Amino acid sequence: MNIKNTLYILLLSLCGVSTLFAQSKLDSLKQQLTVANNDSLRLLILLSMSAESEYRDYALSSQYTKDASPIADKINQPWAKGKLFLRMGFLETMRGNYAEALKYHLECVKIYTQMKDSSRLAASLVDVGSDYRDMGEYEEGYIYMIKSYQMAKNHRDIPTHEDSLIMAVALHNIGTVFTELEQFDAALGHLQASAKISEEIGDEEGLPYACDEIGELYRRKGDFKQSEQYLFTGLKEARRLKIRFLVPRIQSRLANLYLDKKDFPKSLLYYDSVIEQEQTINNRFGLAACALGKGKVMSRSGNFEKAQKLYTFSLTTSRELKARNLELLCYKELALFYEVKGDFAQSLYYFKQHDALRDSIFSGSAMEKLSQNQVRFELDNKNTEIEELSQARLLQNSEIKRQELISNILVIVVALTAILLFTVYRSGSRRKRINGLLLEHQEEIKKRSVELEQLNQVKDKFFSVISHDLRSPMNALAGTLDLLEQKHITPDEFRDLSKNLRTQFNHTRTLINNLLNWTLLQMDKLTIQPEKVSLHSKVEESFATIRMLYPKNILLENEVNAGMMVFADANIINLVLRNLILNAVKFTESGGRIWITAKEEAKEIIVSVSDNGIGIKPEVRDLLFEKTSGYSTRGTANEKGTGLGLILCKEFVEKNGGRIWLESELGKGTTFYFTLPKG
């Protein structure tokens, strides 16, 4: 009997014991259901039956949940809907359909917000964040996880066991996001903080989950010995605690580990074990991930035909599930696969797909927001220290006042103590002056610290933008020249690539201009020279430039009065108009409309740049003008951005004595407003 058959027999024997126990409990629940005499009890029993049968018979578990749905509708209470959607979301998570799970978890967020149930709301926010993470939407996932952590932390003065558990889960999941982004030090810090909370509250399941993720972290770092130790510890604990959801995931990561170590027989053994478990619940994500892993084994073993089939299955499934992280890995492996086979055109195609998706997932703004989490924790700790110092200072001031009162009474009662009291009084005044100077000095230090931190963040953003946005067109140009040299590209293909290169270099030119203006602004080297300027003419100039550089089929309309004059720096007007128009072009579909109007107020002109594009989500509007945020996302034609344009607009408008704001409605468009002095 070989090792593989032995492992399967052992797994089946362990499952047999747990199945008998689960069947016994399920039979008991069925009996309770027959005598249940109210809808609320029947709903809870059906959901429990679904939970008991989820790993033994997924279809049956799903059916029990469907049977519970009309009962929840009949009860028509938020708590009933919340429990039903939570179970539905978990079942979709089990089979790897994270997009569908997200719909149910977002419904839970709405329900618990309506119920004002902070604990369940915080738990639902973690679920939503996890769904976004598993789909490769790391920035969205991070935002929801942070909200969950802060809600659980601030729920009560003394956190309950449930609050602490939610905090531990949120920290753990934030750590997994940092692992995916290869920010390993930040990831390890969050995972260890989560494990510490779990240990303090007696949460045994925290250990195997921590070992699982830390093992994966060390694998990605290339420390295979540490990775193997953590993964085996996690697998042992998961089996001991009967965490059935975790066992196949750890085995899948062991398969990836042995693949990296080029131990192909062991890798295939674990992949096959995971596939057998995932097939019982039809976990499409898990099956697609295993197919990708087995495809790597086949490709490295020379079995290209089977590898190609496995890669194609994994890519198709990841697209259907909208699992961008898995889709990214598929593009990378297919690019390498066709490069080895000598099909350089196909290899270039998948490389470009990989590069575009990678830039979308690992954008500079997302990386900055994630790194700011560490700063938040430090600031929280410093704020706590400041509060303690403030309390001590209040006690000290109270004591001083009490002593002064006693001294005044002694002056009246005993004249001989007048000199002593006068000395004490002067000493107290001197202390107050010294304390005042110390406080002023402390405020100055804090102010300088904030300025230095902002300058450091500007520097980080500068290098982040250069590394991500300036490198892509260079790589694309180099790849095209290589293909030309090797004669692997036709003239028609070269013309198509030239169009793409032109678009990338137009983006790069805009980026460089914004970066230069940004740098001059930060160094206070920019001189403002206001003068009377025709606003209508400046709008026409900006439209002409946009039409020449960005030939997107969008109607541009100048509705500014031809005689309207403003008092402003001409370069500032050009920069603000170009960036706002480019932003509107980016988020407006082909065939859309952009129009600019202006109206006079008492002392200023209010300029509006409007579009009928896709609109902006409410949760990101406040981030657009933050100096250290630089929020950016892809446009309707997959255009890239850096977030610098809107930040520059805000600072230049304010330098010119104006203000800027926006109004937006999803699906209907956005209007940016800014003011200029009258001419």
Side-chain angles (χ1 to χ4, degrees), residues 324-391:
R324 299 200 306 166
N325 48 352
L326 184 58
E327 184 181 353
L328 183 70
L329 295 174
C330 291
Y331 287 141
K332 179 181 178 182
E333 288 303 319
L334 282 165
L336 295 173
F337 174 78
Y338 282 109
E339 183 179 355
V340 171
K341 291 190 69 178
D343 189 343
F344 298 107
Q346 278 290 88
S347 178
L348 178 63
Y349 168 75
Y350 284 112
F351 172 77
K352 288 171 65 178
Q353 293 291 99
H354 172 271
D355 196 45
L357 185 57
R358 181 199 60 196
D359 287 346
S360 174
I361 294 175
F362 303 103
S363 64
S365 62
M367 296 290 288
E368 287 182 15
K369 288 183 178 64
L370 294 173
S371 64
Q372 288 171 8
N373 183 50
Q374 292 170 302
V375 176
R376 281 197 188 90
F377 280 116
E378 292 177 5
L379 288 176
D380 284 344
N381 292 333
K382 290 186 182 298
N383 287 336
T384 302
E385 293 176 6
I386 291 170
E387 288 178 4
E388 292 175 353
L389 289 172
S390 298
Q391 290 295 328

Side-chain angles (χ1 to χ4, degrees), residues 28 65 79 144 166 187 350 373 441 476 496 506-507 513 562 624 635 651:
S28 175
T65 305
W79 70 265
Y144 278 98
I166 293 171
Y350 284 112
N373 183 50
H441 184 61
D496 291 338
N506 282 337
H507 165 73
N513 288 334
L624 295 178
E651 297 201 15

Side-chain angles (χ1 to χ4, degrees), residues 37-40 42-43 67-81 84:
N37 55 7
N38 69 72
D39 290 330
S40 297
R42 294 179 69 243
L43 172 71
D67 293 342
S69 182
I71 299 176
D73 290 336
K74 183 179 178 183
I75 295 173
N76 196 25
Q77 291 292 327
W79 70 265
K81 286 286 188 181
L84 178 67

